[in-house]
Amino acid sequence: GITRHYKFNIVMQNVTRLCQTKSIVTVNGKFPGPRIIAREGDRLLIKVVNHVQYNVTLHWHGVRQLRSGWADGPAYITQCPIQTGQSYVYNFTVTGQRGTLFWHAHISWLRATIYGPLVILPRKHSSYPFQQPHKEVPIIFGEWWKADTETIINQAMQTGGAPNISDAFTINGLPGPLYNCSAKDTFKLKVKPGKTYLLRLINAALNDEIFFSIANHTLTVVETDAVYVKPFNTPVLLITPGQTSNVLLKAKPKAPNATFLMAARPYSTGPAAFDNTTTAGILEYENPSVSNSKNKNKKLLLLKPSLPVFNDTTFSMKFSKKIRSLATTKFPAKVPQKVDKRFFFTVGLGMLPCSQNQNCQNNTRVAASINNVSFVQPNIALLQAHFFNKSKGVYTTDFPANPPFKFNYTGTPPTNIMATAVVVLPFTTSVELVLQDTSIISAESHPLHLHGFNFFVVGQGFGNFDPSKDPAKFNLVDPAERNTIGVPAGGWVAIRFLADNPGVWFMHCHLEVHTSWGLKMAWVVTDGKRLNQKLPPPPSDLPKC
Ligand code: C2O
C-alpha cells in the first residue's frame, strides 16, 4: 500500500438550512465533510488541527485499527481531546477491509455536523465480487437541528430530560423538497439508462435508524459495514446509525427524462417523541438521444417510494436476518467456532437520582445502562491509563458479565449504578456476547457499535434469550459480519468476536442520546506475548488532558 496524507482543519462555518443560518463546527468548512479514499493496505495520515473553541476528537468508524488503538478517537477512551489550537495526526493502516465506512467526531454531540464518507477500495488489480459499477456515489444520511446541538445536549444533561428532537433529516447534508424552503437544497443523482451505480449508504444521523428507498427501483445489497454479503434484492433498506451498506442500483434501460424520488425516514420504537419527517432526493434519468425540443415537453414522473411505518419492528428483524456474509474461499467468514468466554448484557433505559448540579423534575433523570451500569466518562483516557499501568482511580475491572437482577419485562426499574468499569479480555479470547433489550421504560431498538473489531451476528430473536434453546439455532457458517447491530426492540442478538486486537475498545449505543445517558462500556484487550501482538507506545503528539 501507499501512504495518503489528509489535512483536516476544524473550523466554524455558517450553513443555511430550513431558512435559518447557524454556525457549525466542520472539517475544512465542508458539510458534510470531505471524502477519504484509500485502498486496502494503505496507510492514512490525517492531520487534524483544531481552530475552534470546542474540544475535538475524530473517529474512523468501522476501521479495525489493528494495533493502532491510539488513532481510534473516542474521547477519554483512547485519547484526550484535541484542545483549541492543538493538533494530532491520526496514523493508521486499513488492512483486511474494503468497502464503505465513515468518519465522525467522537466527543459530545459534535458528530451532528462533523462527519464524512471513508471509502476503502479493493487492492489494485483486484475487483469487486459483483458487477463493476459505472459510477460510485456516497449517500450519507444526517440529522439537522435549527438550534445549536451542543447547547441542546448540554441543557438536556442539566435538566435530566430528553433533548429536543431534530428538525430535519438530510441526504448528503440536504433536507430536500418535502421540507419548507428546501427545494433548492435537494440531493440529485443523475443516471444514464441501463447503467449500474454503486450507492455507498451511510447512516450518520445522531438518534434515528432510517428506512431508505427509491421509487420504482429495486436495490441489490452487496456489502454491509465494509464486508461483502450474499447479494439480495430489496425495495427498502433499514440502516441504523453507525451502519453502512453498499447497494447496486440498476438504472432502467429506458426512462428518458423520468424523475423519481428517493426518500428516507426514521424507524423508531422509543417512548419519546421523534422527528417523523422525510428527507428526499431526486433520481433523474438523462438521455442524450432525446432532443432538446422533446425535453421541453418532458413529463415529470415524480413517484414517491413507499416506506414501512415508523415502528415496523417485523420489517426490521426480517431485514437484519437477510444479511449473510459472502463466505467464499476468497472472502471467508472466520466465525469463531469455540467460545472461551460468554457474556450476557442487558441494554436499556432506566432512572437515576439527580446529581447536585442538576435541576431535574421529581429528582430523577433518565439514564441508560448495560447490565445496570451507567458508564461514567473518566477524565483521563482509559487507553493511556491501561498502557502505563495507571488504571487505579481511573477505572475498575469488574464490569458485570451478567445482569445483577433477573431479567423481567415488567419489573420495577432498578436504580442504575454509575461506574467507570471495564471487562478485561486476555489476548485472543473468543467472546460470545448476548445483548438483551429490556423493557423497563419501553422496548426499544439499540444499535450497538463495537470499536476495534468486526463481530459475527450468530443469532437474533424476539422475547427473552433462552440459553437452553437458542444457541442450537446459531448460524456459525455465514452470519453477517459487522461493527454495528440493532438489538431488536423487545428481543436479543448474539454476537461472537475474537479479541485479537490489544487496546481499549469502546462499545456503545450509536443513538447518541443513549451514549450521553450512559449506554456504553469498554473492553480492555491485553497484549499477546510476541512483539507483533502488542500495542506500540503512543505517538509523541497524542493530546494530553
Ligand atoms: Cu461511530 Cu463510537 O462510534
Side-chain angles (χ1 to χ4, degrees):
I2 60 164
T3 302
R4 296 172 190 255
H5 297 261
Y6 284 86
K7 179 129 189 239
F8 275 21
N9 283 308
I10 310 293
V11 291
M12 301 304 295
Q13 175 71 41
N14 278 342
V15 172
T16 306
R17 293 289 184 273
L18 310 171
C19 282
Q20 250 169 264
T21 304
K22 69 169 177 173
S23 182
I24 61 169
V25 193
T26 66
V27 165
N28 300 344
K30 295 215 168 76
F31 175 74
R35 189 184 319 178
I36 290 180
I37 299 188
R39 277 190 191 279
E40 189 186 339
D42 288 352
R43 168 171 297 255
L44 284 162
L45 290 179
I46 304 154
K47 182 171 186 178
V48 179
V49 188
N50 184 3
H51 300 279
V52 303
Q53 294 307 310
Y54 301 95
N55 284 343
V56 171
T57 71
L58 295 189
H59 168 54
W60 323 94
H61 179 113
V63 172
R64 285 223 41 206
Q65 301 290 6
L66 271 167
R67 298 175 58 243
S68 56
W70 303 109
D72 193 39
Y76 302 105
I77 304 295
T78 61
Q79 70 166 98
C80 298
I82 308 168
Q83 295 170 24
T84 311
Q86 294 184 345
S87 68
Y88 179 48
V89 180
Y90 288 90
N91 175 350
F92 58 94
T93 302
V94 282
T95 42
Q97 300 177 278
R98 72 307 288 169
T100 302
L101 296 169
F102 70 123
W103 56 268
H104 61 75
H106 210 310
I107 183 164
S108 188
W109 273 25
L110 285 185
R111 76 175 182 87
T113 59
I114 306 183
Y115 61 81
L118 196 165
V119 173
I120 308 169
L121 299 171
R123 287 177 192 278
K124 259 208 175 120
H125 311 300
S126 63
S127 53
Y128 297 126
F130 45 81
Q131 191 187 353
Q132 197 64 28
H134 171 65
K135 247 190 182 173
E136 304 189 356
V137 188
I139 293 191
I140 185 159
F141 305 107
E143 211 166 353
W144 184 265
W145 278 258
K146 288 180 184 169
D148 176 63
T149 41
E150 286 303 284
T151 310
I152 287 173
I153 185 57
N154 290 340
Q155 278 174 358
M157 294 308 282
Q158 264 300 309
T159 58
N164 290 348
I165 59 171
S166 55
D167 297 298
F169 293 97
T170 54
I171 296 177
N172 292 342
L174 302 167
L178 306 180
Y179 293 100
N180 271 347
C181 63
S182 298
K184 62 173 193 336
D185 295 325
T186 301
F187 169 68
K188 203 180 252 187
L189 173 60
K190 288 195 173 161
V191 295
K192 290 194 164 71
K195 299 276 190 205
T196 298
Y197 294 79
L198 181 70
L199 309 183
R200 297 180 173 273
L201 309 178
I202 298 162
N203 187 351
L206 247 69
N207 296 323
D208 285 281
E209 305 188 34
I210 271 175
F211 294 119
F212 173 70
S213 181
I214 303 180
N216 255 17
H217 289 74
T218 298
L219 301 167
T220 308
V221 180
V222 291
E223 182 224 296
T224 59
D225 295 3
V227 180
Y228 296 131
V229 302
K230 291 192 171 70
F232 66 94
N233 296 334
T234 182
V236 181
L237 277 96
L238 175 64
I239 312 176
T240 79
Q243 290 184 335
T244 52
S245 189
N246 280 358
V247 299
L248 294 174
L249 165 71
K250 199 159 165 33
K252 296 177 188 303
K254 274 194 192 120
N257 304 308
T259 306
F260 302 87
L261 274 193
M262 61 180 80
R265 73 160 182 238
Y267 162 58
S268 178
T269 50
F274 66 101
D275 176 4
N276 194 15
T277 60
T278 306
T279 178
I282 287 173
L283 177 74
E284 191 177 280
Y285 277 79
E286 39 179 276
N287 190 344
S289 66
V290 176
S291 73
N292 277 339
S293 59
K294 272 190 193 159
N295 257 342
K296 274 185 194 153
N297 315 324
K298 72 178 172 186
K299 223 165 110 199
L300 273 187
L301 277 170
L302 208 62
L303 282 178
K304 280 189 197 175
S306 69
L307 291 162
V309 292
F310 74 91
N311 59 358
D312 197 339
T313 290
T314 312
F315 177 94
S316 163
M317 175 67 88
K318 270 195 192 148
F319 185 78
S320 182
K321 282 186 170 173
K322 275 188 202 159
I323 299 166
R324 298 288 177 95
S325 286
L326 192 57
T328 55
T329 334
K330 197 159 175 220
F331 302 103
K334 294 178 184 158
V335 194
Q337 298 292 315
K338 64 155 184 87
V339 172
D340 299 321
K341 252 200 131 191
R342 291 197 154 80
F343 296 87
F344 183 81
F345 285 2
T346 54
V347 297
L349 306 188
M351 300 306 273
L352 267 174
C354 284
S355 58
Q356 289 143 338
N357 51 1
Q358 281 179 318
N359 38 17
C360 359
Q361 290 181 347
N362 308 326
N363 281 323
T364 56
R365 64 176 179 92
V366 187
S369 62
I370 302 177
N371 278 353
N372 222 32
V373 177
S374 195
F375 191 86
V376 179
Q377 183 174 280
N379 44 26
I380 75 160
L382 299 182
L383 186 56
Q384 277 154 297
H386 160 68
F387 188 84
F388 295 107
N389 291 315
K390 287 186 176 150
S391 61
K392 214 172 165 216
V394 181
Y395 64 82
T396 59
T397 57
D398 55 353
F399 192 91
N402 291 283
F405 54 94
K406 188 151 166 39
F407 179 71
N408 179 351
Y409 274 125
T410 53
T412 41
T415 306
N416 292 165
I417 296 159
M418 289 181 70
T420 308
V422 304
V423 173
V424 177
L425 296 171
F427 186 69
T428 65
T429 303
S430 174
V431 174
E432 183 178 287
L433 168 62
V434 175
L435 294 155
Q436 170 76 57
D437 182 39
T438 63
S439 306
I440 285 160
I441 289 187
S442 84
E444 183 169 7
S445 168
H446 295 280
L448 256 285
H449 170 53
L450 176 62
H451 287 228
F453 303 94
N454 279 345
F455 51 74
F456 291 91
V457 184
V458 295
Q460 51 199 316
F462 288 124
N464 290 335
F465 173 72
D466 182 345
S468 69
K469 286 205 193 94
D470 290 320
K473 290 177 262 168
F474 282 177
N475 175 3
L476 303 178
V477 178
D478 63 351
E481 181 184 347
R482 327 203 53 150
N483 62 60
T484 306
I485 184 70
V487 178
W492 57 273
V493 62
I495 64 174
R496 284 189 185 182
F497 66 95
L498 184 67
D500 58 354
N501 194 7
V504 176
W505 305 107
F506 204 19
M507 188 174 85
H508 59 95
C509 181
H510 220 281
L511 303 179
E512 206 56 43
V513 59
H514 292 174
T515 303
S516 304
W517 284 337
L519 214 169
K520 50 191 169 184
M521 56 80 69
W523 306 87
V524 173
V525 178
T526 62
D527 280 343
K529 289 214 172 66
R530 289 203 293 272
L531 192 62
N532 65 358
Q533 298 172 332
K534 294 184 199 300
L535 178 71
S540 57
D541 61 341
L542 185 75
K544 293 183 178 63
C545 285

